[in-house]
Amino acid sequence: MHSPDPRRRSATARLLTAALTLLAALTLVGLGADPALAAEGDVAWTVRTASNSYGADRSSYSYAVNPGGTVEDALVVANRGTAPLDLAVYAADGFTTGAGQLDLLPKDGKSVAVGVWVHAERAAVVLKPGESVQVPFKVTVPANATPGDYVGGIVSSLTQSGDAAGINVDRRLGIRVKLRVGGELKPSLAVEDLRVDYAGTANPLGKGDATVTYRIHNTGNAMLSAQQAVSVAGPFGWLRAEAGQLAPSPQLLPGESWEVSVPVHGVAPTVGLTATVTLTPLLVDASGTTSPLAQVEATAGGWAVPWTLLLLIVVLVAVAVGARVLSHRGHAQRKQREDARVQEAVEQALREKETDAN
């Protein structure tokens, strides 16, 4: 039996490590109002914001900072388990997952904003059971930072050996950090790659379903979500069908996109269709107030051919044409027989006349 290639074992181990690390990151990044808790067996710890001039019992860190400015704050980490803890502390950039949730890059991910600008005073903390510690950190925004919104987090991380040999599981617990860098705020959303597809019905006089797909792209420099409205109509806006109430999109960071697929029922097959998508961008200010912005609208055309009805029409026309052809053929045959009888009668009369003359 051949022994496995060490390079293949190494690649597999790296893939498993990445998968397990990602899973831990998805489930253990705390963003709630209460202190976030990670617990498994005799290992348990919490993180929360420090109470200071920025406030008490904050659910996350949120700052408005000008380019070149600095902010100082702290993270409180507490060991709630029965085993000592050795936790790494670091910052990372945030991103929106495919499920619409905020997550953070892993420690070895390439952060370019919050993960680089936030520096914890300590890279690691060692805590005895029941012990807590306050970890100061400093936010330093570069003087050439582009105005707008940036989101990331400050993370406490515990790396443990997994069940598989050579596999480490990174359990993370963190708190979101949102920065609004001073300067002109330019919130903007775009609808991209809009298209409409139609699925008909066997009923020649019935209505079918359409699927409208598009991508919401945050093209501005502010974090935005959007209320969505989708409709499909025939030529000149006739026979419009609405998609109904849709859930708002998740909050998207500047530059991020979100794929959307919306079913629209009861669409008449009017040959030509026009899908219309209307977005109302929602901007959250520093106080947490949500403000709707000017609507963004996009349209795209598609086809909704009533194939069943057309087939029925073709069949009916074929039947009508066939009936006419048969009728014409029967009439011609009857005329031919009548002409033959007349010809025979004329010839008979001529023969009788010739006989009488003799």
Side-chain angles (χ1 to χ4, degrees):
M1 182 173 63
H2 296 289
S3 61
D5 188 336
R7 289 174 297 179
R8 293 184 62 184
R9 289 202 308 267
S10 176
T12 302
R14 287 197 299 270
L15 288 173
L16 288 172
T17 301
L20 292 172
T21 299
L22 178 59
L23 177 61
L26 289 173
T27 55
L28 294 180
V29 174
L31 300 174
D34 298 326
L37 170 67
E40 182 177 338
D42 57 355
V43 174
W45 81 95
T46 61
V47 293
R48 63 176 176 83
T49 59
S51 297
N52 50 35
S53 60
Y54 291 105
D57 299 324
R58 294 170 290 165
S59 62
S60 61
Y61 301 103
S62 182
Y63 313 107
V65 191
N66 289 324
T70 61
V71 172
E72 294 184 3
D73 210 328
L75 173 75
V76 178
V77 185
N79 186 347
R80 305 298 184 187
T82 58
L85 284 177
D86 186 354
L87 302 173
V89 179
Y90 60 92
D93 284 355
F95 65 95
T96 303
T97 68
Q101 303 297 321
L102 177 69
D103 199 359
L104 303 177
L105 294 176
K107 187 176 183 180
D108 58 355
K110 187 172 178 58
S111 294
V112 296
V114 172
V116 178
W117 302 343
V118 176
H119 300 275
E121 187 177 273
R122 302 165 64 177
V125 293
V126 178
L127 298 171
K128 298 177 182 178
E131 186 178 10
S132 65
V133 64
Q134 183 165 290
V135 182
F137 63 85
K138 186 174 184 178
V139 183
T140 303
V141 178
N144 62 348
T146 303
D149 289 341
Y150 300 85
V151 177
I154 184 164
V155 179
S156 60
S157 169
L158 176 65
T159 301
Q160 295 176 302
S161 297
D163 294 335
I167 302 301
N168 292 326
V169 178
D170 185 18
R171 302 176 61 201
R172 303 190 302 167
L173 200 58
I175 299 179
R176 180 174 59 182
V177 177
K178 179 180 178 181
L179 296 177
R180 177 161 289 176
V181 176
E184 184 179 4
L185 200 63
K186 298 178 180 179
S188 177
L189 290 180
V191 179
E192 299 175 345
D193 291 342
L194 172 60
R195 69 179 187 273
V196 55
D197 298 304
Y198 180 76
T201 173
N203 183 352
L205 301 179
K207 297 180 178 180
D209 296 329
T211 301
V212 180
T213 55
Y214 54 96
R215 182 171 62 247
I216 301 175
H217 185 192
N218 186 343
T219 56
N221 63 356
M223 192 172 182
L224 293 172
S225 63
Q227 294 175 341
Q228 307 174 78
V230 175
S231 65
V232 176
F236 310 107
W238 296 340
L239 301 174
R240 183 177 300 275
E242 306 284 345
Q245 187 172 2
L246 302 175
S249 72
Q251 286 197 322
L252 299 177
L253 298 173
E256 287 188 330
S257 297
W258 180 255
E259 302 291 337
V260 183
S261 180
V262 178
V264 182
H265 305 294
V267 177
T270 55
V271 182
L273 290 180
T274 299
T276 302
V277 174
T278 304
L279 301 181
T280 303
L282 302 175
L283 176 67
V284 180
D285 62 21
S287 65
T289 303
T290 301
S291 303
L293 305 179
Q295 290 185 337
V296 177
E297 186 174 283
T299 60
W303 298 101
V305 179
W307 295 112
T308 305
L309 179 59
L310 290 180
L311 179 60
L312 178 61
I313 293 173
V314 169
V315 170
L316 292 176
V317 169
V319 170
V321 170
R324 185 173 181 84
V325 169
L326 290 175
S327 175
H328 180 74
R329 182 178 299 171
H331 177 73
Q333 289 175 347
R334 286 193 300 272
K335 187 175 184 300
Q336 186 177 8
R337 288 194 297 268
E338 184 66 24
D339 290 345
R341 284 196 298 269
V342 170
Q343 180 66 28
E344 184 180 358
V346 170
E347 291 176 354
Q348 179 66 29
L350 291 173
R351 287 195 297 270
E352 291 176 355
K353 185 176 180 181
E354 184 178 351
T355 300
D356 292 340
N358 293 332

